[in-house]
Amino acid sequence: MKKTMITAATFVLLGGAAVAQDGSNLVINDELPMVTEAAAPAHLSEVLDTIYSGWRFRTPETQALQIDDFDNPGMIFVDAALDAYGTVEGAAGESCQSCHGEVGTFEGLRTKMPKFNAEAGTLWSMEDYVNNCRTERMQADAWQWSGADMQGMVALIAHQSRGMLMDVDITGPAQSWWELGREMYYTRYGQLELSCANCHEQNYGSMIRADHLSQGQTNGFPTYRLKQARLISQHNRFRGCIRDTRAETFAEGSDAFRALELYVASRGSGLSVESPAVRQ
Amino acid sequence: MAKGVKPRVKVPKTVAAGDVITIKTLISHPMESGQRKDKEGNVIPRSIINRFTCDFNGTNVLDVKLDPAVSTNPYFQFEARVPEAGEVRFTWYDDDGSVYETRKSIAIA
Amino acid sequence: MELTRRQWMMLGAGAVAAAGLAPTGVLAKRMDEALSSFTGGAAVADGGVELSAPEIAENGNTVPISVSAPGAVAIAVFAEGNPEAEVATFKFGELAASQAASTRIRLAKTQNVVAVAQMADGSFARTARVVKVTIGGCGG
């Protein structure tokens, strides 16, 4: 594992005093408590004691948008996806529902994503499963990885696991993917020479210019981001982060981002699925 | 009609006559402000919801004029007095002439 | 829709260049015009209307605000530093249980948000709050 010291140049960017995560508890709709703080998983024992949901780093006004499902703008897209779920599309005359039944049958799936697909012989994200159903079973067109249709459907499926704890498998055939993702996490990218770890492991709680750095956890994705005012995919956020280091970035849906998705998910094992979360 | 516009409203199903209720509404809409330019530098034309109304049994509760500074996916929260059983009607008016409407019934306990 | 601060700024560029809260030049004129079109030029007293807004908005695209003015027939909200000052105007009907409402608004930069209430007797009341808009965060 590469662990590099922050350079003087990086400190210029990471100005401002550290403001730790806050102590608020997240209970959604007054009835669904979420685990936003947990002991770090064993593989992080040398670098972190405690992991925190990104919700804990946001302002009270942003936090409030996730406390009540009606106030959560991400839920309109979950609602729209539920309509799409029951709609027949494609030459095979199938809908999601005609094979899978009620959407509640997906309970728990999000906690295991991404996962190694033995049949395909590779690591699959939820988007891969959705598109495989669309093209193979429904004979419909594939959706764009970060398109509104896709992220609405991914959010709907993830939402069935809301409150359950993230628990991805990083052993067996997934292990080499996990190791690749870990390598990426500690690799400095771009003209600014920043790794994921520089911001989200070594400086979470600090301000990077006007942004309050979180641990970069992915348990709330797809996330309604106020900046884009729509549901954002994990790979889109990875792309944005790497682009902000002034690097050539990887493509959404690339093997590199699948690997990173698995590794980052494993750093959040023990946090509740929050999808769709609301962030700045 | 803007693509994929979907309203959500939150209204209690049952109240006591004369009760004050809190109503929340959210509608998916880009609220294109008319201030942005596309990649070629052309102004993207304004396309917003410019008016929202809430009525109960034909009597007005709230009538809002929206300007482009209202956020994407417009949200409103307000209070209504419910004198009798009936129907709440919500109407959103789009710049392009589309009208989106949704209704909710309220029973008296 | 994504409205970055940069995009807002480019549009109001000349006018917004002079930083600070009191709008100047074109923006001040737009604010005055927007206000008079609501009040018809009548005098506006301070107080009598409540406006709640975050001191610091994490993203200017979605800033939650609430207004309240017991006895008002209407409340108009303005953003002094936006390219257009008008934000929203709430008219309260016979079945409004309170003259209060909440919504989410766009603010192009740190500025005054102003709420002006038209009372039942035809008088006007105003209040203003500074909202600091966070810039320089990690982009989309």
Side-chain angles (χ1 to χ4, degrees):
Chain A
M1 186 184 299
K2 276 188 261 175
K3 273 186 275 177
T4 39
M5 295 297 292
I6 298 286
T7 62
T10 309
F11 265 122
V12 176
L13 284 163
L14 301 171
V19 188
Q21 67 288 335
D22 78 1
S24 308
N25 285 323
L26 174 54
V27 179
I28 293 178
N29 301 336
D30 292 326
E31 61 182 21
L32 181 60
M34 309 294 274
V35 176
T36 60
E37 175 175 347
H43 67 85
L44 292 179
S45 62
E46 286 178 32
V47 291
L48 288 178
D49 295 328
T50 310
I51 54 173
Y52 302 98
S53 161
W55 185 83
R56 297 279 294 275
F57 295 85
R58 306 278 50 95
T59 60
E61 291 82 11
T62 306
Q63 287 182 337
L65 297 177
Q66 203 186 318
I67 289 174
D68 180 313
D69 272 345
F70 199 90
D71 294 339
N72 181 340
M75 289 302 292
I76 33 182
F77 303 99
V78 170
D79 272 3
L82 189 58
D83 294 344
Y85 184 86
T87 304
V88 171
E89 212 190 323
E94 303 281 1
S95 68
C96 305
Q97 188 157 7
S98 52
C99 284
H100 293 282
E102 294 303 314
V103 70
T105 58
F106 286 104
E107 182 177 337
L109 180 62
R110 173 66 173 83
T111 66
K112 301 290 184 187
M113 297 302 296
K115 67 177 182 180
F116 189 81
N117 180 327
E119 206 176 312
T122 187
L123 188 73
W124 273 22
S125 302
M126 191 88 83
E127 288 86 346
D128 294 305
Y129 282 92
V130 171
N131 263 346
N132 184 64
C133 276
R134 287 186 60 79
T135 57
E136 301 304 312
R137 295 187 188 176
M138 297 167 73
Q139 294 171 39
D141 292 336
W143 277 333
Q144 294 238 331
W145 193 277
S146 290
D149 291 334
M150 175 65 91
Q151 290 310 313
M153 188 59 69
V154 170
L156 172 68
I157 295 168
H159 187 66
Q160 309 311 311
S161 307
R162 192 167 64 168
M164 298 174 75
L165 304 184
M166 283 299 299
D167 181 26
V168 286
D169 185 2
I170 59 174
T171 61
Q175 190 179 342
S176 58
W177 288 91
W178 181 79
E179 284 168 1
L180 174 64
R182 185 179 60 180
E183 185 70 24
M184 288 180 70
Y185 194 86
Y186 288 100
T187 300
R188 288 169 174 268
Y189 289 101
Q191 291 176 325
L192 299 183
E193 296 187 22
L194 287 169
S195 70
C196 306
N198 288 154
C199 286
H200 297 294
E201 179 178 287
Q202 295 152 3
N203 281 288
Y204 71 86
S206 298
M207 301 299 287
I208 181 163
R209 296 188 65 200
D211 246 348
H212 190 203
L213 284 170
S214 72
Q215 288 184 340
Q217 298 288 0
T218 51
N219 53 305
F221 279 85
T223 284
Y224 186 89
R225 242 183 140 228
L226 302 181
K227 181 171 176 76
Q228 287 104 336
R230 60 186 170 88
L231 289 175
I232 296 302
S233 70
Q234 295 186 58
H235 289 198
N236 181 269
R237 192 54 247 157
F238 290 160
R239 195 171 61 93
C241 271
I242 294 186
R243 186 223 33 227
D244 286 351
T245 71
R246 300 187 193 160
E248 286 286 336
T249 180
F250 302 90
E252 295 169 359
S254 62
D255 281 348
F257 275 168
R258 285 188 184 84
L260 186 60
E261 183 185 334
L262 177 64
Y263 177 68
V264 178
S266 80
R267 294 176 66 97
S269 284
L271 295 176
S272 291
V273 173
E274 294 177 19
S275 318
V278 181
R279 300 289 184 261
Q280 77 286 18
Chain B
M1 182 166 169
K3 187 173 169 280
V5 173
K6 188 169 175 71
R8 277 189 111 204
V9 297
K10 185 178 187 180
V11 179
K13 287 189 174 68
T14 311
V15 302
D19 263 6
V20 170
I21 61 168
T22 296
I23 292 175
K24 295 181 179 186
T25 72
L26 191 60
I27 188 165
S28 58
H29 195 283
M31 294 293 283
E32 187 65 56
S33 68
Q35 298 285 348
R36 299 200 310 160
K37 290 182 179 175
D38 63 19
K39 282 172 184 157
E40 283 75 47
N42 306 309
V43 172
I44 304 171
R46 172 183 137 152
S47 177
I48 69 167
I49 287 172
N50 57 53
R51 186 178 174 211
F52 163 74
T53 60
C54 172
D55 300 281
F56 181 77
N57 287 349
T59 303
N60 184 248
V61 176
L62 185 69
D63 188 337
V64 187
K65 170 178 159 285
L66 291 77
D67 291 290
V70 172
S71 302
T72 304
N73 308 324
Y75 168 90
F76 293 111
Q77 180 182 330
F78 50 95
E79 291 181 322
R81 195 161 42 80
V82 181
E84 68 224 1
E87 189 178 64
V88 197
R89 191 180 67 191
F90 302 91
T91 316
W92 293 261
Y93 299 84
D94 195 309
D95 271 353
D96 68 9
S98 307
V99 176
Y100 317 108
E101 191 180 279
T102 192
R103 294 161 187 255
K104 290 280 170 184
S105 293
I106 298 182
I108 296 297
Chain C
M1 183 184 95
E2 181 180 354
L3 266 187
T4 67
R5 176 177 183 272
R6 187 168 296 142
Q7 285 161 336
W8 278 106
M9 286 294 283
M10 286 190 317
L11 292 151
V16 185
L21 293 180
T24 54
V26 176
L27 287 189
K29 188 160 171 281
R30 283 183 192 156
M31 177 63 203
D32 288 346
E33 285 170 1
L35 184 61
S36 339
S37 78
F38 180 62
T39 62
V44 180
D46 278 329
V49 48
E50 278 181 43
L51 166 64
S52 69
E55 201 175 320
I56 299 174
E58 217 163 9
N59 192 295
N61 269 345
T62 311
V63 183
I65 61 153
S66 300
V67 291
S68 170
V73 294
I75 303 177
V77 179
F78 304 96
E80 287 187 348
N82 274 2
E84 296 176 37
E86 294 93 341
V87 174
T89 305
F90 301 91
K91 282 186 196 157
F92 301 100
E94 201 180 311
L95 287 179
S98 60
Q99 287 72 47
S102 304
T103 188
R104 298 166 183 165
I105 69 171
R106 295 167 170 156
L107 296 176
K109 58 167 191 159
T110 295
Q111 59 181 285
N112 276 327
V113 176
V114 180
V116 180
Q118 179 182 9
M119 310 309 287
D121 65 3
S123 68
F124 290 88
R126 91 188 269 284
T127 193
R129 281 184 69 94
V130 176
V131 178
K132 290 178 187 154
V133 175
T134 297
I135 56 157
C138 296

